[in-house]
């Protein structure tokens, strides 16, 4: 006997049933007959078999709450993964209107770079995976630091047979074809690059230091990257507020016309928030209850530009990196943070990277970032998205408000499911 999984999300549309299980990370499009099976009635055996396979039906005796707890404990307490968010410089060649950074520190010093190498070398024998995220400032200003450390990371990963993944959050202005090829050879093939609209609008939001346009340079680098045969992924990010809301739809179409149907490019839309910058009071942030983002994703998908939403409905896919005990931000001066937003918040100063590569951590400051979340939050325990966010979508929000930080995906999941599952084959029913 089977019962419906507590972690299955559902939407009915046009006679089809869209199902996604956040515990298994699997889902698909089902015929209407699947609904009866989910309610405990008989149905086509081939449909039932797939429902069981993907985790939408579980044995009647299954304790899914216990399963969720075990999954959280294992996933959030790994000792064989190291994730470093490296700030090779905290300077930037842009001055974006919503930026919160102070640009006080320059290029990561040689002693700090050596400490990073020592940390990785010491931990490598016990690791299965090494994840590096390049952040700034604008990380590509410190190109030589990125190359130097990337060469070391790839060498260590090969020596210890580690799974190695690298990502860069960059404004794209310095990502020339030559650099992209060099980075790809060093394992860096994953980028997030922001364009806030067509040139006339983007250039108002994301100006050069000292003033000046930036759109054309970014666009030229993106199209040059597209022309290469490199294996890479770029999330094209739009920071959305009330000021660019009216032109966002047309700009998504423009992005789709250029980059649609190239699987290396994805669309990522994020609402502008008051992140702590000097212009926070002037920002025209969106009203939270009515999100236009799902509609923009749907439009992008219609243009062949896939939305960057897959992880949001899979185990740990919506967990913030700051909630992971094996993830640290390494500042250019060697300070250790957990969050890349509240950089100068005292609570975010959790330690320092010592010259020998050891982590000198302030446990009292570290602990609030790593609280039990869904292990103790009964609201999280009853939520179908629990495996995806584990109650840890944003530890900073929980620290600031004392409330659970639900991801936007929870509110909008019915709009997202058809987009998420569009490429998955519908199970057939034998007549």
């Amino acid at each position: 006997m089977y019962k419906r999984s507590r972690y299955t999300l559902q939407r009915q549309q046009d006679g089809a049933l869209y199902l996604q299980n956040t515990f298994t990370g699997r889902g698909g499009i089902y015929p209407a007959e699947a609904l009866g099976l989910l309610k405990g009635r008989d149905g086509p055996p081939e449909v039932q078999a797939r429902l069981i396979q993907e985790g939408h039906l579980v044995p009647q005796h299954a304790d899914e709450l216990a399963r969720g707890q075990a999954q959280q404990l294992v996933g959030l307490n790994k000792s064989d993964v190291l994730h470093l968010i490296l700030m090779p410089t905290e300077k930037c060649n842009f001055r974006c209107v919503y930026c919160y950074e102070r640009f006080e520190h320059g290029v990561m010093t040689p002693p700090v770079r050596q400490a990073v190498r020592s940390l990785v070398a010491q931990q490598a024998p016990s690791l299965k995976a090494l994840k590096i995220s390049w952040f700034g400032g604008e990380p590509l200003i410190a190109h030589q630091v990125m190359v130097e450390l990337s060469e070391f990371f790839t060498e260590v990963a090969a020596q210890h047979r580690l799974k190695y993944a690298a990502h860069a959050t960059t404004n794209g202005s310095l990502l020339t074809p030559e650099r992209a090829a060099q980075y790809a050879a060093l394992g860096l093939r994953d980028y997030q690059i922001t364009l806030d609209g067509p040139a006339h609008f983007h250039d108002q939001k994301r100006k050069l230091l000292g003033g000046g346009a930036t759109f054309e340079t970014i666009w030229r680098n993106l199209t040059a990257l597209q022309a290469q045969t490199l294996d890479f992924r770029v999330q094209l990010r739009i920071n959305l507020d009330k000021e660019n809301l009216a032109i966002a739809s047309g700009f998504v179409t423009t992005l789709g016309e250029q980059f649609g149907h190239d699987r290396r490019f994805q669309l990522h839309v994020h609402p502008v928030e008051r992140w702590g910058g000097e212009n926070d009071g002037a920002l025209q942030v969106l009203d939270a209850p009515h999100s236009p983002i799902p509609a923009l994703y749907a439009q992008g998908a219609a243009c062949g530009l896939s939305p960057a939403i897959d992880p949001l409905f899979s185990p740990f896919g919506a967990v913030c990196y700051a909630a992971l005990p094996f993830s640290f931000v390494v500042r250019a001066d060697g300070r250790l943070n957990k969050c890349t937003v509240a950089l100068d918040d005292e609570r975010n100063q959790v330690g320092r990277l010592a010259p020998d590569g050891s982590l000198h951590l302030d446990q009292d400051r570290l602990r609030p970032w790593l609280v039990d979340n869904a292990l103790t939050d009964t609201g999280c325990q009853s939520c179908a998205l629990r495996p995806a966010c584990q109650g840890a979508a944003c530890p900073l929000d929980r620290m600031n408000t004392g409330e659970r930080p639900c991801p936007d995906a929870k509110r909008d999941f019915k709009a997202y499911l058809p987009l998420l599952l569009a490429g998955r084959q519908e199970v057939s029913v034998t007549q």
Side-chain angles (χ1 to χ4, degrees), residues 107 127 155 162 225 237 343 346 366:
V107 173
L127 297 179
E155 179 182 339
L162 306 180
L225 184 60
R237 173 164 168 156
L343 288 173
E346 185 178 84
L366 180 62

Side-chain angles (χ1 to χ4, degrees), residues 1-4 10 12 17 19 30-44 47-48 51 56-57:
M1 295 292 292
Y2 292 91
K3 62 182 178 181
R4 179 196 175 107
Q10 170 186 319
Q12 290 178 269
L17 195 64
L19 302 175
Y30 285 81
E33 290 87 346
L35 187 58
L37 285 160
L38 292 174
K39 293 180 177 180
R41 299 196 292 267
D42 291 336
V47 177
Q48 183 183 45
L51 289 169
H56 308 301
L57 287 177

Side-chain angles (χ1 to χ4, degrees), residues 120 124 127-131 150-165 186:
V120 172
L127 297 179
K128 291 183 179 179
L130 174 63
K131 299 173 63 178
S150 294
E151 289 175 342
F152 176 78
F153 297 146
T154 53
E155 179 182 339
V156 170
Q159 178 184 352
H160 294 276
R161 298 182 179 180
L162 306 180
K163 182 180 179 181
Y164 176 63
L186 294 171

